[in-house]
Amino acid sequence: MTFRRDHLLVRTGDGRWVRWRVPPDFVTPSPTEPNLASSVEAARAVQAALRALASSNGGFRDAVIALPDRAAHAGLLEVAGSRAVRRLRSELVRGLATTSAPSSSELDGRFRFGTLASGSLGRRSVLGAVTGSPVAQQYEAAAEAAGLRVRWVDATSLALLPEWLGSAAGKRDRRLLLLLHRRHFVLAAAAGERLTGFRMKLRAALDPDPPALAIRRATESARHGVSILGDGAAAVTDLARSMGLAAVESRDAEEDAGTPAVSPVTDGALAALLRRVGERPAPLRPTPVAISEV
C-alpha cells in the first residue's frame, strides 16, 4: 500500500487494486514532521480499502508499505572498503539532524530501510535513506489498525533500484533511470551493477523541462541508455529526443476507459516490495475493484 497526496492505493499479490480517496493534501511528505493529516482517518481509509478488496478474496494478514520519496532523506556515497554503510549513515543522520529532526537514536533505528550497496568492496557505492521513527510509525500504525503485519517499508523510488541494478548482471553499460512523479523526479545512474549517481529534484506539476535537462546534463560525458517511467513520461521522452537523446524505454501512466491511471513507478515499487517478502505479484489489472465510498 501507499499513500499519495489525495488517495490511498492498495494492490494485492494477485493484481487487484483499489484507490481510496482522501481529502486533498492529506499527505505532506517530510522526513521530520508528521506526514498524515489524521492518523485516525488514515486507518479508516486502510480498513475501507481492505474491505473492498477482501469482499471477493478473503482477508489479508501482511502488508508492505511504499512511503513517499520525500518522507525520507536519501544520499549516495562512493567509498572504498567495508565501512561505507556506517559512514553514510553518520552523514545522513547528521544532515537530517540540522532540520529539527527527531533525536539521532530514533533516526539510527530506521536506517535499515532504503540501504543499497553495489559494486566491490574496493569501489563500493552505498545508497541509504533515513527518516524519523515517528514518521514511519505513522504509516505503519494505519496498516496495523486494520490488523495487518507490516513486512517491509521503503521509499517508493528506492524500492525499484535493487532490481534495476541487478538487471545488468555481468554488463558494464552506462544506464540512466528516470522515475517521474507529479511534483518531483528521481534520476539514478549506473555503470553495470554499480550505482554511480542519484538525485531527487522538485518540479512543477508534470513540467517536462527539469527532468529532461537533468538527463542531458547526466549524458554530457558518456552515452547512456535511458529508461523513463512515470507521470508525464511521454512528454519528457519527446523533449529528450528533441535534444538528441535516445530513450531505450518509456512508460507513462495509462488510463483505461476512464479508469484513473496508476503510475508504473508506483505499481513497480509495490510489486518489487511484494517480491522482496517472497510474493510473486501478478500484473496489475487495468480495472480497479469497485468501491462504495461513504
Side-chain angles (χ1 to χ4, degrees), residues 18-266:
V18 62
R19 182 197 303 265
W20 196 271
R21 286 195 295 271
V22 295
D25 295 322
F26 184 81
V27 181
T28 305
S30 167
T32 60
E33 303 295 333
N35 284 204
L36 305 177
S38 167
S39 295
V40 172
E41 290 303 320
R44 288 175 178 169
V46 173
Q47 291 166 348
L50 292 183
R51 280 197 299 270
L53 288 167
S55 62
S56 60
N57 195 34
F60 302 94
R61 293 180 298 175
D62 298 335
V64 294
I65 300 175
L67 299 185
D69 289 338
R70 289 185 288 147
H73 175 54
L76 177 70
L77 180 68
E78 289 194 72
V79 63
S82 59
R83 298 181 180 178
V85 172
R86 185 182 304 173
R87 179 175 166 186
L88 178 61
R89 177 177 62 188
S90 298
E91 292 190 4
L92 286 173
V93 170
R94 184 168 58 250
L96 193 55
T98 63
T99 61
S100 66
S103 68
S104 295
S105 61
E106 290 178 307
L107 292 170
D108 281 340
R110 297 303 310 180
F111 186 74
R112 63 183 181 272
F113 99 79
T115 307
L116 173 65
S118 62
S120 65
L121 287 179
R123 195 180 181 191
R124 168 163 286 191
S125 296
V126 182
L127 177 68
V130 293
T131 191
S133 290
V135 172
Q137 288 169 357
Q138 196 178 27
Y139 291 95
E140 292 169 340
E144 290 166 352
L148 298 172
R149 178 182 61 154
V150 178
R151 297 283 303 279
W152 200 291
V153 178
D154 211 334
T156 300
S157 293
L158 271 62
L160 291 172
L161 294 182
E163 292 183 2
W164 177 67
L165 285 172
S167 67
K171 300 179 181 178
R172 296 184 178 181
D173 298 342
R174 294 183 178 273
R175 302 173 295 147
L176 291 176
L177 176 65
L178 179 64
L179 303 175
L180 297 165
H181 302 268
R182 288 191 165 271
R183 298 187 183 275
H184 76 281
F185 66 92
V186 170
L187 181 63
E193 295 180 82
R194 189 171 68 87
L195 197 63
T196 60
F198 176 87
R199 68 181 65 176
M200 187 183 303
K201 297 286 187 180
L202 297 178
R203 67 167 176 162
L206 298 183
D207 182 0
D209 289 340
L213 290 172
I215 293 175
R216 186 173 69 177
R217 286 193 293 268
T219 55
E220 284 179 353
S221 59
R223 185 172 182 81
H224 292 70
V226 183
S227 297
I228 302 174
L229 312 177
D231 297 307
V236 175
T237 300
D238 289 344
L239 185 56
R241 286 172 177 162
S242 73
M243 298 175 178
L245 305 173
V248 297
E249 179 185 12
S250 178
R251 282 192 286 140
D252 208 330
E254 297 181 0
E255 294 191 14
D256 181 75
T259 297
V262 175
S263 167
V265 178
T266 299

